[in-house]
Amino acid sequence: MSSEKNADPNNKRTGPLDSGHEKRLRRESNQQQLQPESLSSNSEDDSRLWKDSLGVCTRSEVDNMVCEVLDGSPSCQPDDSLAMGGHEPGSQEMDATFVGKSAAIADVMSPDAGKVIAGMYPRRMGKTTFLKTLANFLDIIGDMPWNQREKQFRQCALYDMHPEFFEANFGKYPVIMLDFKTSCPKSFDDVPSCLRKSVLAATSKYTKLLRKLLNGVNSGYEYLELDKDIIEEEQGEIKEFIDDVGYVMESRNAQTTHLSAISGIIPDLMKVLNNIFGRRSVLIVDEYDAPFMSALCHVEDAKEQANIQQTYSEFLCESLKNNDYLHKGILVGVFDVRGIGLGSGLNNVESYMAHSGFAGNRLKASPFQNAFGFTIHDVWGLINDYVDNQWPYRATTTCLELGHFKRDLLVGCIQHFDGYRIGQVHHVFNPYAILCLIRELRLVKSLVDVDYSNYNSWTETGSMKVVETIKASSAQDLSRYCEYLSSSFLQQSEYRQHQGPLAEHMSLDFIDDAAVGSIGSQEQPQFPPDVDKETREELADICMVRSGDTFHGMQSLGREPLQASTIMRLLYQAGYIAPIAKDRVGIPNSEVHRALRQFYERVAAQLKISTSLLESIHEEMGIYRCDLQRFSRSLHSCMVSIPGIGKDTSERFYQTILSSYLFPATRSGYAIQNEAMMENGRADTLLFPAPGHLRFDTTPMSYYIFELKRYDGSTIPTSAKRTSAANRRNVAKYVFEQAMQAQAQIYERYYPTLAEKARTCDLVHVVGVSFWMNRFCMIATKRKREESADGTVSWPTVRYEGSVEIEATVEYEQLGDRLEDAENGILREVVDGHLVILTI
């Protein structure tokens, strides 16, 4: 457009922004306040909604994903790329419970966040839901009549929490919402037609209005109360814009020659709308990364790939950079593509990822941190609503049983679908997985029928195929990364069964809102040890800090094998790996852990390397090869890294640490039992082969029994220095004696039952452990199964061998004396054929 008249972006016009008009609308909306109870009524009103502590979301604004899940419609089918978003079904008419996120609109629109902002978060987090709600709130022309729309939004948390922002921004801006995910190019020839489709869809609403204004009519838009003089004055600009749109619409087989005209539509529309309404526009781009990732995944020629990325970058730059008619630009996607297409062009973008705002990483707090995903309060509300009002078997279930059912459902959701974090908000659940679970509850009659291992709803809507080709030189790194992620996840999962806010509430008959608040206000406890601190720090750097080499590696996505670091970063951005702290990432939940394990097994089979994701950690533990010396060394590394352990630490906590550390062995066929019932009491911890266990080479099949004690230091003089030689000898005496007592307890109380339970094993390891703070003494006896000709089974002792053997009658202080010679703080001795490990 050549004309510049009335182009001042700060000019003010009358119309829908007139204060008198706003007051009239408020009076109308206050006459008929919509009640939350209308959700379950038989009203034909299409604007039913449900209000919670976070706000509301209208039926027309509800995410298409939510509609498809609750209605049982087919979901998005995976393709050969990492899924970038959900399927786009039509509008659904149904009763539903909506979880609103309106309060986050104020954060996103804050000037402090930036004029042009980009949010990159895992798929299926409800991003499209929020963007549609945002658009309907801001837009001068909404999806429903003005007064009905205002009435609904006044019941939102946004109005309650930010009334001044509400009055200043509701219905005040032209909003143009681009959706790139529905039309992605697979070649450069596709770019003009894909851009044409996206642009025409995004501008159709205002194009329709301008056509009517050009013809002198405004039927259907009377509420805008437009100034006729201004419309007359802008006739030339409007006609020029309509002609440009007509030219683009007629070019059904768009070619590269049409790209200039297509790219100019949105900036020109912003200018015309500013002249008419006196307001700059808000441009929202959903799945902005989709065309860039499509080029990477489907285009083999590097030059063609670069041309696609450059064209889309230039298209976005024309609307978002140096545009006087832009009030706010909001881009949302999954993958960080700044380094492969947007880096040099859109250098005015403030970018936010899931880890933005973490303490210590110097990144600005994310304005999106309350916009996406379900919080624990959302999940608890959905569970209560469904079980109390919709579950088919609620009438035949007692109140106590319903309480247990809801409690265990929440616990199950936390264990299997929690684990994400966005900025300073933890306990973020994937909405798609939660909604799929709730939909399936109609098929279960009781809690025992809920099998979480069958719920792979989120992972099944995407494919990891594109990252399953890895450079052979990088295979060892991939194995190391996946092993660390898997083993640490398993240890964390077991640890949280016994420690933290969730464990504290699992034994309650009922979980109420206060308990949910207590759980939600605290982060999940972290299992402290770092078996591989170097890998932990390396992964955190790859996912949350390093970018250059990953961007370079992405250029070959779909064409060449990838580096392990590139695969990890892509999995992080897609949601298979989640941020935990500024220096730690991990697998978010059990559903994702299953998918990651299957991914590794497929890749390992191609590379012809071990498909056991945990083989190295098992070797490190020493359990599979009956190497308790190696086991004690790795357990010692675990113990010394645990903060806060003191003389008052309970025996139960030590038991939790031991079982959590051993827990990865369960994924290779071992079973762990704490407080195992025996003939004369309960054994602290058993570790034994279950059916289908994994055996390395000809290693004997072993059965382990651990009895634990703790030394409280009561015999240590208060003036004693902990690290002094005298103090260490004194402690060594008592922990050695307690470990001997623990072994004796096994023989006195549990041995007959133990011998029977271990009949199918080759070896039994009788282990007494005494802890003092974060140190311990371990005494192990090894017994070998022998069967006589008549079938009688006996378990004679097999002596450990050592260069120096101490007789059982020796003074305990001699152990303390030898601590000065201990390697890495661990003393190994053989006492009368028994293995003694001392870390005091």
Side-chain angles (χ1 to χ4, degrees), residues 420-434:
Y420 292 100
R421 179 173 175 175
I422 299 179
Q424 299 169 8
V425 178
H426 46 85
H427 289 293
V428 177
F429 298 73
N430 187 285
Y432 187 81
I434 295 296

Side-chain angles (χ1 to χ4, degrees), residues 176-410:
I176 302 168
M177 186 167 176
L178 271 169
D179 183 359
F180 279 163
K181 70 184 176 185
T182 57
S183 184
C184 291
K186 295 185 178 180
S187 69
F188 185 70
D189 291 339
D190 294 339
V191 170
S193 59
C194 288
L195 273 175
R196 172 186 174 275
K197 180 179 178 181
S198 298
V199 168
L200 291 178
T203 58
S204 62
K205 177 170 57 179
Y206 280 100
T207 300
K208 179 181 178 182
L209 168 65
L210 294 177
R211 280 202 178 99
K212 286 197 172 188
L213 296 180
L214 189 63
N215 294 326
V217 297
N218 66 341
S219 57
Y221 300 96
E222 293 85 358
Y223 67 95
L224 295 177
E225 298 182 352
L226 297 171
D227 189 311
K228 293 182 179 179
D229 293 337
I230 294 175
I231 301 303
E232 183 66 28
E233 185 180 346
E234 295 299 322
Q235 286 290 303
E237 293 281 350
I238 296 173
K239 184 177 186 306
E240 187 172 350
F241 173 77
I242 294 300
D243 290 344
D244 290 343
V245 172
Y247 170 73
V248 172
M249 291 184 68
E250 290 172 0
S251 57
R252 296 185 179 278
N253 297 317
Q255 307 296 319
T256 54
T257 54
H258 298 100
L259 282 174
S260 177
I262 294 171
S263 297
I265 293 295
I266 290 179
D268 290 347
L269 176 60
M270 288 182 177
K271 177 183 174 183
V272 172
L273 295 177
N274 178 80
N275 293 341
I276 293 175
F277 295 118
R279 286 280 183 164
R280 298 182 179 95
S281 296
V282 174
L283 177 60
I284 300 173
V285 186
D286 191 14
E287 304 288 355
Y288 84 96
D289 56 324
F292 296 90
M293 295 302 293
S294 179
L296 289 174
C297 294
H298 297 106
V299 178
E300 294 186 0
D301 182 72
K303 185 176 181 180
E304 183 179 9
Q305 195 180 85
N307 286 337
I308 295 174
Q309 294 163 354
Q310 181 180 354
T311 302
Y312 271 90
S313 180
E314 291 173 351
F315 169 82
L316 290 172
C317 285
E318 190 163 349
S319 298
L320 294 170
K321 190 174 182 181
N322 300 324
N323 184 349
D324 291 336
Y325 306 103
L326 176 72
H327 174 71
K328 187 87 171 186
I330 303 165
L331 297 83
V332 171
V334 175
F335 298 100
D336 184 359
V337 296
R338 289 171 294 174
I340 56 173
L342 297 179
S344 59
L346 284 177
N347 53 12
N348 64 327
V349 178
E350 290 275 0
S351 298
Y352 299 93
M353 300 184 71
H355 56 268
S356 298
F358 275 26
N361 67 8
R362 299 182 180 179
L363 296 178
K364 188 187 296 186
S366 171
F368 298 102
Q369 65 184 11
N370 294 304
F372 306 140
F374 282 172
T375 67
I376 191 171
H377 299 281
D378 300 333
V379 174
W380 180 239
L382 289 168
I383 289 172
N384 274 278
D385 178 77
Y386 184 80
V387 174
D388 290 342
N389 302 314
Q390 300 178 55
W391 188 43
Y393 306 99
R394 63 189 185 278
T396 58
T397 308
T398 67
C399 290
L400 181 62
E401 291 171 335
L402 282 176
H404 290 169
F405 188 41
K406 290 189 286 187
R407 174 203 64 194
D408 292 344
L409 281 174
L410 180 66

Side-chain angles (χ1 to χ4, degrees), residues 474-521:
S474 200
Q476 185 176 354
D477 285 337
L478 181 69
S479 179
R480 180 165 53 90
Y481 297 151
C482 290
E483 179 188 88
Y484 170 83
L485 291 168
S486 184
S487 61
S488 60
F489 170 77
L490 292 171
Q491 290 171 336
Q492 296 283 11
S493 300
E494 175 66 10
Y495 185 68
R496 291 169 183 169
Q497 293 284 330
H498 309 284
Q499 298 294 323
L502 179 61
E504 294 171 4
H505 291 87
M506 284 176 62
S507 59
L508 301 177
D509 286 336
F510 296 94
I511 289 183
D512 57 15
D513 293 344
V516 172
S518 175
I519 297 171
S521 65

Side-chain angles (χ1 to χ4, degrees), residues 794-840:
S794 61
W795 296 90
T797 300
V798 179
R799 294 177 63 88
Y800 280 92
E801 296 180 357
S803 56
V804 177
E805 290 202 10
I806 302 176
E807 296 297 328
T809 57
V810 79
E811 291 295 326
Y812 298 118
E813 284 82 351
Q814 289 191 23
L815 287 173
D817 291 338
R818 295 175 59 80
L819 283 171
E820 300 299 331
D821 301 323
E823 182 180 354
N824 297 321
I826 303 176
L827 178 68
R828 175 197 184 274
E829 299 290 1
V830 174
V831 179
D832 198 21
H834 306 282
L835 177 66
V836 178
I837 304 292
L838 192 61
T839 67
I840 304 304

